[in-house]
Amino acid sequence: MDYIDPHIHMVSRITDDYATLARMGCVAMSEPAFWAGFDRGSVDGFRDYFHQLTDVEPRRAAQYGIQHFTWLCINAKEAENVSLSRDVIAMIPEFLDKPNVLGIGEIGLNKNTKNEATIFLEHLDLAVEYNQLILIHTPHLEDKYQGTRMILDMLCSDSRIDPSRVLVDHVEEHTIGEVLDRGFWAGMTLYPVTKCTPERSADMIERFGGERLLANSAGDWGPSKPTAVPDLIFEMRRRGLSESLIRKVVYGNPIEFFSKSENFRFVERDSGEAGSLS
């Protein structure tokens, strides 16, 4: 089955992973900007990183017939450096007209601090000013519930924000309901050790259905599995869920949400033009 991984950090993966993903049915992916494993020290470091996301990775993916899209931001883990964060936010518009940029992300909170909230709100201003989609990172482990509530409250208190243009990622059993109830899209991140497993994700799909629900692998530099979405497909089939529901979650929903960006020029495999971004 063709599928789309809506949140995967391919800058952390070797080229063999692109080949494996293509063989597993991955036809497109989106890669949010994220923390590099260390705090970067200059705006030029981010400029080089955004060049990698908007130029290098699309060409690497295209070699395997995979369409690559991306999101731009400074991650919440680096938001304590407010001065640098503001310099990065001011630089992001240089890249917003690149053909694979879908929006601003992954923005959000990490430790739920005042500085993180300040930079999150300034990212929202940028997204509104340039009419960009928004991809949200929610905190890990013990901070998740409080942080998710803080993020949703900030989003809902801003009348300029349309929930149908916001994807709230890394939802778990205790946060997914409120995300969907408030009108946002929800993303489940499949991790081998944290966030949620394919089995837990299948549980949530059985409970909440497939509307406004996506699944991703993250595929970052930590313990992760870039082929986790096919694992979810296998688990849903094992439970006897319908092929139409499976296809909706792993293919139809990403297309529906990403199509809200004018830069999402997705070409389905059957057209024989997969890999083209323009």
Side-chain angles (χ1 to χ4, degrees):
M1 174 182 289
D2 286 353
Y3 76 92
I4 296 171
D5 193 325
H7 185 143
I8 184 167
H9 298 291
M10 294 305 294
V11 298
S12 305
R13 313 307 308 191
I14 60 174
T15 300
D16 284 354
D17 288 331
Y18 273 115
T20 299
L21 291 169
R23 284 195 292 269
M24 298 292 282
C26 182
V27 293
M29 58 180 55
S30 84
E31 178 165 5
F34 81 140
W35 190 56
F38 63 94
D39 290 348
R40 286 156 285 202
S42 73
V43 68
D44 282 337
F46 280 89
R47 184 176 281 109
D48 287 343
Y49 176 46
F50 295 160
H51 168 68
Q52 185 177 12
L53 292 175
T54 58
D55 185 31
V56 178
E57 291 305 324
R59 285 189 279 112
R60 209 157 69 110
Q63 295 178 55
Y64 298 92
I66 298 173
Q67 297 168 77
H68 180 281
F69 301 92
T70 195
W71 308 71
L72 304 176
C73 75
I74 178 169
N75 191 272
K77 287 186 177 182
E78 291 165 291
E80 292 303 326
N81 189 336
V82 173
S83 176
L84 175 61
S85 297
R86 286 175 169 158
D87 287 344
V88 172
I89 290 172
M91 180 268 293
I92 287 174
E94 294 178 20
F95 293 86
L96 291 179
D97 62 351
K98 297 291 185 180
N100 71 327
V101 174
L102 297 181
I104 303 302
E106 53 183 306
I107 59 173
L109 301 176
N110 180 48
K111 297 293 184 182
N112 305 335
T113 69
K114 180 180 178 181
N115 283 341
E116 290 173 11
T118 295
I119 296 305
F120 175 72
L121 292 172
E122 293 183 15
H123 274 112
L124 294 186
D125 289 339
L126 178 68
V128 169
E129 180 180 356
Y130 288 90
N131 193 32
Q132 296 291 309
L133 298 182
I134 298 170
L135 193 157
I136 301 289
H137 164 93
T138 52
H140 299 266
L141 303 176
E142 70 271 13
D143 298 318
K144 180 173 289 292
Y145 181 72
Q146 178 191 14
T148 301
R149 290 291 304 272
M150 290 174 62
I151 290 168
L152 296 181
D153 287 345
M154 285 188 280
L155 289 167
C156 291
S157 66
D158 189 333
S159 61
R160 303 171 301 169
I161 303 296
D162 177 357
S164 73
R165 291 173 55 82
V166 180
L167 169 59
V168 180
D169 229 328
H170 315 323
V171 299
E172 296 183 24
E173 292 86 343
H174 59 310
T175 59
I176 183 174
E178 185 162 358
V179 169
L180 292 173
D181 287 346
R182 294 204 193 192
F184 300 98
W185 290 74
M188 302 177 294
T189 299
L190 311 171
Y191 256 23
V193 291
T194 61
K195 296 190 174 76
C196 65
T197 63
E199 291 78 13
R200 288 171 57 195
S201 295
D203 288 345
M204 286 188 271
I205 293 167
E206 289 180 331
R207 179 180 175 189
F208 291 95
E211 292 298 325
R212 287 182 284 117
L213 195 55
L214 284 68
N216 66 78
S217 70
D220 56 33
W221 43 261
S224 58
K225 187 178 182 183
T227 56
V229 175
D231 289 347
L232 174 62
I233 293 172
F234 177 83
E235 175 62 19
M236 287 193 284
R237 282 177 172 157
R238 188 188 68 79
R239 297 183 183 204
L241 301 183
S242 70
E243 288 294 304
S244 62
L245 175 59
I246 297 170
R247 184 175 173 83
K248 178 178 179 62
V249 172
V250 303
Y251 188 79
N253 282 351
I255 291 175
E256 181 177 348
F257 178 68
F258 293 160
S259 293
K260 299 175 186 294
S261 167
E262 62 183 19
N263 279 351
F264 187 66
R265 303 183 184 94
F266 177 65
V267 181
E268 294 202 54
R269 186 198 296 265
D270 288 346
S271 70
E273 299 179 14
S276 172
L277 285 174
S278 59

